[in-house]
Amino acid sequence: QTCALPIFVTTGGKEMAEVKQLPKREEVPVELTWDLTKIYATDTDFEADFAKVKKEAESFKKYQGKLRENGDTLLEAIKEMFAIQRRLENVYVYASMKNDQDTANAENQAKNATVQKLVSEVSEKLSWFQPELLHLTIEELEEAKKQAPELNEYSQNLREWFEMKDHVLSDKEEALLAGASDIFSAPESTFEVLNDADLKFPVMKDENGDDVELSEGIYGTLLESTDRRVRKEAFQNLYKVYRQFRHTFAMTLSSHNRTENYVAKVRNYSTAQEAALANNHIPVSVYDTLINVTNKHLPLLHRYVALRKKLLNLDEVHMYDLYTPITGEPTLKYTYDEAKEEALKALAVLGDDYLSHVKEAFDNRWIDVVANQGKRGGAYSGGSYDTAPYILLNWQDTLDNLFTLVHEMGHTIHSYYTRHNQPYQYGDYSIFVAEIASTTNENLLTQYLLDHFEDKKIRAYVLNHYLDGFKGTVFRQTQFAEFEKWSHEQDAAGKPLTADVISKYYGELNKRYYGPDIFNDDEISLEWARIPHFYYNYYVYQYATGFAAATTLAQNILNDNPADTQAYLTYLKSGSSEYPIDIMKKAGVDMTNEEYLEKAFDVFEKRLNELEKLIG
């Protein structure tokens, strides 16, 4: 599943506040719902595949101890393993999406829970394969390829597996680690339960004087309020609750970091950072270069904060002032049908074939459009190799929702091209390249709007939308990445990560990022306690690298050089047939070099200049 960036301010707050007015699932017009019968016509079909996965995973052990016999046996084992995973993906996608469309439905909940358990069981049943495979020498592998030439169709898989040879343990040790996956995820699970279910937030007055119960969902909406009293109270009330549980959150985070450091050490990595990035074969230098180059350009973020201070006429800028609109609401409003037409115009630069698949998504119920009672909030693009690349939305008639639509469509067409141009074994792509496709679409929409609207208010809003997106995706996610690296290093050095130690570092880091015009509220030093992505194992940096790469690629496409556009489409079709770094090089972005980051910051500066001039 690939998702719109779940940064600080969330979408969906208004839907949560108005949940009593939302339609029930069965009341939503069918044409505005996704068609999951294309995956399984009935639940009986789903249950049959569920049983097959369970049976096939159990029988896979018949290959154990035999991979060295001959090339044909090795080939057969690889093909069967992928077949099990392929069927499992269909089962997983169906259950999770059924649950997402109505999380209050007990039957959907049960179905999703049983599949989650199945995923863990299958992982354990297949865990012996890679350690045994890596007992083969390179010479034995080459001989197997001669015996079964079809093995060459899995060359990239074999390359990736064998490059992990020094980090894969014995069969028994791998089985132990796989079986302990639930135990290792306990800190994250505890965080989620505490954060999502157990925390109780106070009731406060919104800008209309109505009582609203504060929650993570509605917090983002309140922070966008033009009433400063509302923003301040939401900010202070939210963190008042987190302060009460800061020691518990420090324990879950430090336990998570300790687990990752332990597993990295067991697998013979020098750091947890190296282990995490090795999953996608990303050099550690990519991560560290992002932090270094972003720090060099922090004065741009300081300028943006100063601009907010000026336009909002504030004596001092607090952290709760960073999300309220500084240009006013635009006159642009889009119904879903109007947004579809605008999306097609904005993406036309990618060519007729690309647009034909966007229309296919619109016309064939790949999209679950509107909010309903119990529906998961936010937006994402999902699906498996054998399904449509579905999209979940919670539509409102806003410009922001138009951006969400083209963002998720970027993921969906990336998935479509990959699955229609690569065999199953290469039919997916890493998260490292996933956000590039979606954010490139956002960049194209930004330029389309700037090219087609002369109205100063609209232009100012679009420019500020881009700058806010850059702030939240590049600057903010890099700040998170820098914190994540520090917290792991502290644990590795045997230094205790108490709530006070973490908060002191985070507060200083936040001040450094936002600069001299920010009033560094005490509350913001607790922000680390509420960020779920700190439990995702060096995940957030990819949002920042992806946004920066997308900025460069969008500029290439808009330069109207057919070769650049074709290189971009080739990237969308590449799946995992090569390493992510190599795929992006062919697309026109070398992410081992800081040049793509410099280009992205250059675009940010030019648009900041334009906004300052436009408003000035």
Side-chain angles (χ1 to χ4, degrees), residues 115-152:
V115 170
Q116 295 289 346
K117 185 179 178 183
L118 178 65
V119 170
S120 181
E121 290 174 356
V122 171
S123 176
E124 188 174 354
K125 299 292 185 188
L126 306 186
S127 65
W128 63 265
F129 173 82
Q130 194 170 356
E132 183 174 322
L133 174 69
L134 297 184
H135 288 324
L136 273 69
T137 65
I138 297 300
E139 291 73 23
E140 287 174 319
L141 179 61
E142 291 304 315
E143 180 59 30
K145 286 181 179 179
K146 291 177 182 177
Q147 296 169 357
E150 195 178 339
L151 281 170
N152 289 301

mmCIF file of all heavy atoms in Angstrom, residues 115-152:
data_model
loop_
_atom_site.group_PDB
_atom_site.id
_atom_site.type_symbol
_atom_site.label_atom_id
_atom_site.label_comp_id
_atom_site.label_asym_id
_atom_site.label_seq_id
_atom_site.Cartn_x
_atom_site.Cartn_y
_atom_site.Cartn_z
ATOM 1 N N VAL A 115 -6.356 -12.838 8.483
ATOM 2 C CA VAL A 115 -5.353 -12.719 7.413
ATOM 3 C C VAL A 115 -4.026 -12.199 7.972
ATOM 4 O O VAL A 115 -2.951 -12.658 7.557
ATOM 5 C CB VAL A 115 -5.868 -11.811 6.276
ATOM 6 C CG1 VAL A 115 -4.749 -11.496 5.289
ATOM 7 C CG2 VAL A 115 -7.019 -12.489 5.538
ATOM 8 N N GLN A 116 -4.095 -11.272 8.911
ATOM 9 C CA GLN A 116 -2.862 -10.778 9.532
ATOM 10 C C GLN A 116 -2.108 -11.941 10.190
ATOM 11 O O GLN A 116 -0.878 -12.037 10.086
ATOM 12 C CB GLN A 116 -3.188 -9.706 10.583
ATOM 13 C CG GLN A 116 -3.808 -8.433 10.026
ATOM 14 C CD GLN A 116 -2.850 -7.582 9.228
ATOM 15 O OE1 GLN A 116 -1.638 -7.783 9.288
ATOM 16 N NE2 GLN A 116 -3.370 -6.653 8.453
ATOM 17 N N LYS A 117 -2.849 -12.794 10.838
ATOM 18 C CA LYS A 117 -2.231 -13.959 11.469
ATOM 19 C C LYS A 117 -1.657 -14.901 10.413
ATOM 20 O O LYS A 117 -0.569 -15.467 10.578
ATOM 21 C CB LYS A 117 -3.263 -14.696 12.325
ATOM 22 C CG LYS A 117 -2.682 -15.863 13.115
ATOM 23 C CD LYS A 117 -3.747 -16.538 13.973
ATOM 24 C CE LYS A 117 -3.161 -17.734 14.726
ATOM 25 N NZ LYS A 117 -4.186 -18.449 15.520
ATOM 26 N N LEU A 118 -2.381 -15.065 9.311
ATOM 27 C CA LEU A 118 -1.920 -15.930 8.225
ATOM 28 C C LEU A 118 -0.600 -15.423 7.651
ATOM 29 O O LEU A 118 0.300 -16.219 7.348
ATOM 30 C CB LEU A 118 -2.982 -16.006 7.117
ATOM 31 C CG LEU A 118 -2.619 -16.851 5.889
ATOM 32 C CD1 LEU A 118 -2.480 -18.323 6.268
ATOM 33 C CD2 LEU A 118 -3.667 -16.666 4.785
ATOM 34 N N VAL A 119 -0.464 -14.119 7.495
ATOM 35 C CA VAL A 119 0.769 -13.528 6.967
ATOM 36 C C VAL A 119 1.959 -13.937 7.835
ATOM 37 O O VAL A 119 3.018 -14.332 7.334
ATOM 38 C CB VAL A 119 0.656 -11.994 6.889
ATOM 39 C CG1 VAL A 119 2.022 -11.367 6.583
ATOM 40 C CG2 VAL A 119 -0.354 -11.586 5.826
ATOM 41 N N SER A 120 1.783 -13.858 9.148
ATOM 42 C CA SER A 120 2.852 -14.234 10.071
ATOM 43 C C SER A 120 3.173 -15.728 9.957
ATOM 44 O O SER A 120 4.347 -16.127 9.948
ATOM 45 C CB SER A 120 2.440 -13.890 11.506
ATOM 46 O OG SER A 120 3.462 -14.213 12.410
ATOM 47 N N GLU A 121 2.136 -16.546 9.830
ATOM 48 C CA GLU A 121 2.336 -17.990 9.723
ATOM 49 C C GLU A 121 3.075 -18.351 8.438
ATOM 50 O O GLU A 121 3.996 -19.182 8.445
ATOM 51 C CB GLU A 121 0.985 -18.709 9.755
ATOM 52 C CG GLU A 121 0.287 -18.658 11.114
ATOM 53 C CD GLU A 121 -1.114 -19.258 11.059
ATOM 54 O OE1 GLU A 121 -1.554 -19.648 9.947
ATOM 55 O OE2 GLU A 121 -1.767 -19.315 12.111
ATOM 56 N N VAL A 122 2.686 -17.742 7.327
ATOM 57 C CA VAL A 122 3.326 -18.029 6.045
ATOM 58 C C VAL A 122 4.791 -17.591 6.080
ATOM 59 O O VAL A 122 5.684 -18.300 5.596
ATOM 60 C CB VAL A 122 2.579 -17.342 4.891
ATOM 61 C CG1 VAL A 122 3.372 -17.450 3.585
ATOM 62 C CG2 VAL A 122 1.196 -17.961 4.715
ATOM 63 N N SER A 123 5.038 -16.430 6.661
ATOM 64 C CA SER A 123 6.410 -15.942 6.780
ATOM 65 C C SER A 123 7.284 -16.959 7.516
ATOM 66 O O SER A 123 8.413 -17.234 7.109
ATOM 67 C CB SER A 123 6.420 -14.606 7.518
ATOM 68 O OG SER A 123 7.737 -14.155 7.722
ATOM 69 N N GLU A 124 6.736 -17.535 8.560
ATOM 70 C CA GLU A 124 7.498 -18.522 9.327
ATOM 71 C C GLU A 124 7.708 -19.806 8.524
ATOM 72 O O GLU A 124 8.791 -20.392 8.544
ATOM 73 C CB GLU A 124 6.758 -18.828 10.636
ATOM 74 C CG GLU A 124 7.548 -19.697 11.585
ATOM 75 C CD GLU A 124 6.868 -19.863 12.940
ATOM 76 O OE1 GLU A 124 5.837 -19.215 13.166
ATOM 77 O OE2 GLU A 124 7.380 -20.650 13.757
ATOM 78 N N LYS A 125 6.679 -20.223 7.770
ATOM 79 C CA LYS A 125 6.777 -21.465 6.992
ATOM 80 C C LYS A 125 7.805 -21.349 5.856
ATOM 81 O O LYS A 125 8.419 -22.337 5.458
ATOM 82 C CB LYS A 125 5.418 -21.827 6.377
ATOM 83 C CG LYS A 125 4.297 -22.072 7.388
ATOM 84 C CD LYS A 125 4.522 -23.324 8.191
ATOM 85 C CE LYS A 125 3.319 -23.601 9.098
ATOM 86 N NZ LYS A 125 3.581 -24.717 10.027
ATOM 87 N N LEU A 126 7.983 -20.130 5.335
ATOM 88 C CA LEU A 126 8.901 -19.936 4.211
ATOM 89 C C LEU A 126 10.293 -19.471 4.657
ATOM 90 O O LEU A 126 11.193 -19.309 3.830
ATOM 91 C CB LEU A 126 8.340 -18.898 3.225
ATOM 92 C CG LEU A 126 6.927 -19.122 2.664
ATOM 93 C CD1 LEU A 126 6.606 -18.076 1.605
ATOM 94 C CD2 LEU A 126 6.763 -20.514 2.087
ATOM 95 N N SER A 127 10.454 -19.253 5.951
ATOM 96 C CA SER A 127 11.670 -18.610 6.447
ATOM 97 C C SER A 127 12.936 -19.432 6.221
ATOM 98 O O SER A 127 14.039 -18.884 6.204
ATOM 99 C CB SER A 127 11.526 -18.293 7.935
ATOM 100 O OG SER A 127 11.431 -19.486 8.695
ATOM 101 N N TRP A 128 12.799 -20.732 6.017
ATOM 102 C CA TRP A 128 13.986 -21.580 5.835
ATOM 103 C C TRP A 128 14.612 -21.399 4.457
ATOM 104 O O TRP A 128 15.799 -21.715 4.256
ATOM 105 C CB TRP A 128 13.610 -23.069 6.007
ATOM 106 C CG TRP A 128 12.631 -23.562 4.967
ATOM 107 C CD1 TRP A 128 11.283 -23.630 5.076
ATOM 108 C CD2 TRP A 128 12.949 -24.030 3.644
ATOM 109 N NE1 TRP A 128 10.719 -24.100 3.922
ATOM 110 C CE2 TRP A 128 11.730 -24.365 3.026
ATOM 111 C CE3 TRP A 128 14.132 -24.204 2.937
ATOM 112 C CZ2 TRP A 128 11.653 -24.857 1.728
ATOM 113 C CZ3 TRP A 128 14.071 -24.687 1.631
ATOM 114 C CH2 TRP A 128 12.833 -25.015 1.049
ATOM 115 N N PHE A 129 13.832 -20.892 3.494
ATOM 116 C CA PHE A 129 14.256 -20.920 2.098
ATOM 117 C C PHE A 129 15.545 -20.125 1.855
ATOM 118 O O PHE A 129 16.516 -20.654 1.295
ATOM 119 C CB PHE A 129 13.140 -20.382 1.194
ATOM 120 C CG PHE A 129 13.565 -20.225 -0.246
ATOM 121 C CD1 PHE A 129 13.560 -21.313 -1.112
ATOM 122 C CD2 PHE A 129 14.002 -18.998 -0.732
ATOM 123 C CE1 PHE A 129 13.973 -21.175 -2.433
ATOM 124 C CE2 PHE A 129 14.412 -18.851 -2.045
ATOM 125 C CZ PHE A 129 14.399 -19.944 -2.897
ATOM 126 N N GLN A 130 15.562 -18.866 2.264
ATOM 127 C CA GLN A 130 16.726 -18.046 1.938
ATOM 128 C C GLN A 130 18.000 -18.529 2.614
ATOM 129 O O GLN A 130 19.053 -18.595 1.957
ATOM 130 C CB GLN A 130 16.449 -16.566 2.283
ATOM 131 C CG GLN A 130 17.471 -15.629 1.660
ATOM 132 C CD GLN A 130 17.082 -14.161 1.782
ATOM 133 O OE1 GLN A 130 16.005 -13.839 2.275
ATOM 134 N NE2 GLN A 130 17.951 -13.277 1.355
ATOM 135 N N PRO A 131 17.963 -18.886 3.910
ATOM 136 C CA PRO A 131 19.202 -19.409 4.508
ATOM 137 C C PRO A 131 19.738 -20.642 3.788
ATOM 138 O O PRO A 131 20.946 -20.758 3.549
ATOM 139 C CB PRO A 131 18.782 -19.749 5.939
ATOM 140 C CG PRO A 131 17.605 -18.878 6.208
ATOM 141 C CD PRO A 131 16.892 -18.745 4.912
ATOM 142 N N GLU A 132 18.824 -21.558 3.396
ATOM 143 C CA GLU A 132 19.286 -22.758 2.697
ATOM 144 C C GLU A 132 19.824 -22.415 1.314
ATOM 145 O O GLU A 132 20.838 -22.970 0.878
ATOM 146 C CB GLU A 132 18.154 -23.782 2.581
ATOM 147 C CG GLU A 132 18.616 -25.073 1.916
ATOM 148 C CD GLU A 132 17.564 -26.171 1.901
ATOM 149 O OE1 GLU A 132 16.828 -26.283 2.912
ATOM 150 O OE2 GLU A 132 17.467 -26.896 0.907
ATOM 151 N N LEU A 133 19.146 -21.498 0.631
ATOM 152 C CA LEU A 133 19.609 -21.085 -0.690
ATOM 153 C C LEU A 133 21.033 -20.544 -0.612
ATOM 154 O O LEU A 133 21.873 -20.843 -1.469
ATOM 155 C CB LEU A 133 18.677 -20.011 -1.262
ATOM 156 C CG LEU A 133 19.111 -19.359 -2.580
ATOM 157 C CD1 LEU A 133 19.023 -20.366 -3.726
ATOM 158 C CD2 LEU A 133 18.260 -18.129 -2.888
ATOM 159 N N LEU A 134 21.297 -19.778 0.440
ATOM 160 C CA LEU A 134 22.594 -19.126 0.543
ATOM 161 C C LEU A 134 23.711 -20.059 0.995
ATOM 162 O O LEU A 134 24.868 -19.651 1.084
ATOM 163 C CB LEU A 134 22.495 -17.908 1.467
ATOM 164 C CG LEU A 134 21.558 -16.802 0.958
ATOM 165 C CD1 LEU A 134 21.582 -15.600 1.870
ATOM 166 C CD2 LEU A 134 21.915 -16.394 -0.473
ATOM 167 N N HIS A 135 23.359 -21.306 1.268
ATOM 168 C CA HIS A 135 24.402 -22.310 1.500
ATOM 169 C C HIS A 135 25.065 -22.700 0.184
ATOM 170 O O HIS A 135 26.181 -23.242 0.173
ATOM 171 C CB HIS A 135 23.806 -23.561 2.156
ATOM 172 C CG HIS A 135 23.425 -23.358 3.595
ATOM 173 N ND1 HIS A 135 24.136 -22.569 4.447
ATOM 174 C CD2 HIS A 135 22.393 -23.870 4.322
ATOM 175 C CE1 HIS A 135 23.571 -22.575 5.643
ATOM 176 N NE2 HIS A 135 22.510 -23.352 5.594
ATOM 177 N N LEU A 136 24.362 -22.428 -0.935
ATOM 178 C CA LEU A 136 24.948 -22.718 -2.244
ATOM 179 C C LEU A 136 26.124 -21.788 -2.512
ATOM 180 O O LEU A 136 26.093 -20.614 -2.148
ATOM 181 C CB LEU A 136 23.917 -22.538 -3.359
ATOM 182 C CG LEU A 136 23.007 -23.718 -3.714
ATOM 183 C CD1 LEU A 136 22.016 -23.988 -2.590
ATOM 184 C CD2 LEU A 136 22.243 -23.420 -5.011
ATOM 185 N N THR A 137 27.128 -22.295 -3.169
ATOM 186 C CA THR A 137 28.222 -21.437 -3.620
ATOM 187 C C THR A 137 27.811 -20.812 -4.953
ATOM 188 O O THR A 137 26.849 -21.251 -5.607
ATOM 189 C CB THR A 137 29.502 -22.249 -3.822
ATOM 190 O OG1 THR A 137 29.287 -23.191 -4.887
ATOM 191 C CG2 THR A 137 29.891 -22.986 -2.539
ATOM 192 N N ILE A 138 28.515 -19.765 -5.352
ATOM 193 C CA ILE A 138 28.242 -19.123 -6.641
ATOM 194 C C ILE A 138 28.417 -20.133 -7.778
ATOM 195 O O ILE A 138 27.653 -20.138 -8.756
ATOM 196 C CB ILE A 138 29.164 -17.909 -6.850
ATOM 197 C CG1 ILE A 138 28.889 -16.830 -5.789
ATOM 198 C CG2 ILE A 138 28.990 -17.321 -8.248
ATOM 199 C CD1 ILE A 138 27.476 -16.289 -5.806
ATOM 200 N N GLU A 139 29.396 -21.014 -7.642
ATOM 201 C CA GLU A 139 29.636 -22.034 -8.672
ATOM 202 C C GLU A 139 28.453 -22.991 -8.770
ATOM 203 O O GLU A 139 28.028 -23.356 -9.886
ATOM 204 C CB GLU A 139 30.910 -22.817 -8.343
ATOM 205 C CG GLU A 139 32.220 -22.027 -8.463
ATOM 206 C CD GLU A 139 32.407 -21.023 -7.335
ATOM 207 O OE1 GLU A 139 31.788 -21.213 -6.247
ATOM 208 O OE2 GLU A 139 33.159 -20.056 -7.541
ATOM 209 N N GLU A 140 27.919 -23.382 -7.623
ATOM 210 C CA GLU A 140 26.750 -24.278 -7.623
ATOM 211 C C GLU A 140 25.540 -23.581 -8.247
ATOM 212 O O GLU A 140 24.757 -24.211 -8.973
ATOM 213 C CB GLU A 140 26.427 -24.719 -6.196
ATOM 214 C CG GLU A 140 27.427 -25.728 -5.626
ATOM 215 C CD GLU A 140 27.157 -26.042 -4.172
ATOM 216 O OE1 GLU A 140 26.828 -25.107 -3.399
ATOM 217 O OE2 GLU A 140 27.262 -27.226 -3.789
ATOM 218 N N LEU A 141 25.388 -22.290 -7.987
ATOM 219 C CA LEU A 141 24.269 -21.543 -8.559
ATOM 220 C C LEU A 141 24.402 -21.464 -10.080
ATOM 221 O O LEU A 141 23.405 -21.641 -10.809
ATOM 222 C CB LEU A 141 24.210 -20.137 -7.960
ATOM 223 C CG LEU A 141 23.097 -19.230 -8.503
ATOM 224 C CD1 LEU A 141 21.720 -19.821 -8.225
ATOM 225 C CD2 LEU A 141 23.191 -17.823 -7.892
ATOM 226 N N GLU A 142 25.593 -21.201 -10.556
ATOM 227 C CA GLU A 142 25.802 -21.119 -12.002
ATOM 228 C C GLU A 142 25.529 -22.472 -12.674
ATOM 229 O O GLU A 142 24.968 -22.531 -13.780
ATOM 230 C CB GLU A 142 27.224 -20.657 -12.312
ATOM 231 C CG GLU A 142 27.494 -19.205 -11.927
ATOM 232 C CD GLU A 142 26.505 -18.239 -12.574
ATOM 233 O OE1 GLU A 142 26.238 -18.394 -13.783
ATOM 234 O OE2 GLU A 142 25.996 -17.353 -11.865
ATOM 235 N N GLU A 143 25.912 -23.552 -12.013
ATOM 236 C CA GLU A 143 25.642 -24.890 -12.549
ATOM 237 C C GLU A 143 24.138 -25.145 -12.587
ATOM 238 O O GLU A 143 23.622 -25.733 -13.553
ATOM 239 C CB GLU A 143 26.337 -25.944 -11.680
ATOM 240 C CG GLU A 143 26.119 -27.384 -12.139
ATOM 241 C CD GLU A 143 26.605 -27.662 -13.558
ATOM 242 O OE1 GLU A 143 27.579 -26.989 -14.003
ATOM 243 O OE2 GLU A 143 25.995 -28.514 -14.238
ATOM 244 N N ALA A 144 23.422 -24.701 -11.536
ATOM 245 C CA ALA A 144 21.963 -24.862 -11.498
ATOM 246 C C ALA A 144 21.312 -24.113 -12.658
ATOM 247 O O ALA A 144 20.346 -24.592 -13.273
ATOM 248 C CB ALA A 144 21.411 -24.371 -10.160
ATOM 249 N N LYS A 145 21.842 -22.939 -12.996
ATOM 250 C CA LYS A 145 21.292 -22.163 -14.108
ATOM 251 C C LYS A 145 21.489 -22.882 -15.443
ATOM 252 O O LYS A 145 20.644 -22.801 -16.341
ATOM 253 C CB LYS A 145 21.954 -20.779 -14.159
ATOM 254 C CG LYS A 145 21.500 -19.825 -13.065
ATOM 255 C CD LYS A 145 22.203 -18.476 -13.226
ATOM 256 C CE LYS A 145 21.778 -17.479 -12.173
ATOM 257 N NZ LYS A 145 22.469 -16.181 -12.321
ATOM 258 N N LYS A 146 22.604 -23.591 -15.573
ATOM 259 C CA LYS A 146 22.833 -24.361 -16.796
ATOM 260 C C LYS A 146 21.835 -25.512 -16.889
ATOM 261 O O LYS A 146 21.334 -25.835 -17.972
ATOM 262 C CB LYS A 146 24.264 -24.898 -16.811
ATOM 263 C CG LYS A 146 25.330 -23.821 -16.979
ATOM 264 C CD LYS A 146 26.736 -24.426 -16.917
ATOM 265 C CE LYS A 146 27.810 -23.362 -17.026
ATOM 266 N NZ LYS A 146 29.176 -23.917 -16.890
ATOM 267 N N GLN A 147 21.548 -26.137 -15.754
ATOM 268 C CA GLN A 147 20.604 -27.251 -15.725
ATOM 269 C C GLN A 147 19.166 -26.780 -15.962
ATOM 270 O O GLN A 147 18.366 -27.496 -16.565
ATOM 271 C CB GLN A 147 20.694 -27.975 -14.374
ATOM 272 C CG GLN A 147 22.033 -28.638 -14.110
ATOM 273 C CD GLN A 147 22.163 -29.112 -12.671
ATOM 274 O OE1 GLN A 147 21.269 -28.901 -11.855
ATOM 275 N NE2 GLN A 147 23.292 -29.752 -12.351
ATOM 276 N N ALA A 148 18.843 -25.576 -15.463
ATOM 277 C CA ALA A 148 17.485 -25.032 -15.603
ATOM 278 C C ALA A 148 17.600 -23.578 -16.049
ATOM 279 O O ALA A 148 17.572 -22.655 -15.229
ATOM 280 C CB ALA A 148 16.727 -25.142 -14.276
ATOM 281 N N PRO A 149 17.754 -23.327 -17.353
ATOM 282 C CA PRO A 149 17.958 -21.965 -17.868
ATOM 283 C C PRO A 149 16.870 -20.978 -17.456
ATOM 284 O O PRO A 149 17.120 -19.765 -17.407
ATOM 285 C CB PRO A 149 17.961 -22.173 -19.394
ATOM 286 C CG PRO A 149 18.397 -23.591 -19.573
ATOM 287 C CD PRO A 149 17.799 -24.344 -18.417
ATOM 288 N N GLU A 150 15.662 -21.502 -17.110
ATOM 289 C CA GLU A 150 14.574 -20.612 -16.704
ATOM 290 C C GLU A 150 14.909 -19.848 -15.414
ATOM 291 O O GLU A 150 14.300 -18.814 -15.110
ATOM 292 C CB GLU A 150 13.286 -21.418 -16.517
ATOM 293 C CG GLU A 150 12.022 -20.562 -16.458
ATOM 294 C CD GLU A 150 10.763 -21.404 -16.318
ATOM 295 O OE1 GLU A 150 10.801 -22.607 -16.656
ATOM 296 O OE2 GLU A 150 9.752 -20.843 -15.855
ATOM 297 N N LEU A 151 15.895 -20.330 -14.679
ATOM 298 C CA LEU A 151 16.323 -19.624 -13.467
ATOM 299 C C LEU A 151 16.830 -18.217 -13.787
ATOM 300 O O LEU A 151 16.812 -17.328 -12.928
ATOM 301 C CB LEU A 151 17.430 -20.406 -12.752
ATOM 302 C CG LEU A 151 16.987 -21.599 -11.896
ATOM 303 C CD1 LEU A 151 18.192 -22.415 -11.468
ATOM 304 C CD2 LEU A 151 16.202 -21.113 -10.675
ATOM 305 N N ASN A 152 17.276 -18.000 -15.030
ATOM 306 C CA ASN A 152 17.756 -16.673 -15.415
ATOM 307 C C ASN A 152 16.659 -15.623 -15.381
ATOM 308 O O ASN A 152 16.934 -14.421 -15.325
ATOM 309 C CB ASN A 152 18.401 -16.728 -16.811
ATOM 310 C CG ASN A 152 19.741 -17.457 -16.792
ATOM 311 O OD1 ASN A 152 20.656 -17.052 -16.090
ATOM 312 N ND2 ASN A 152 19.840 -18.557 -17.537
#
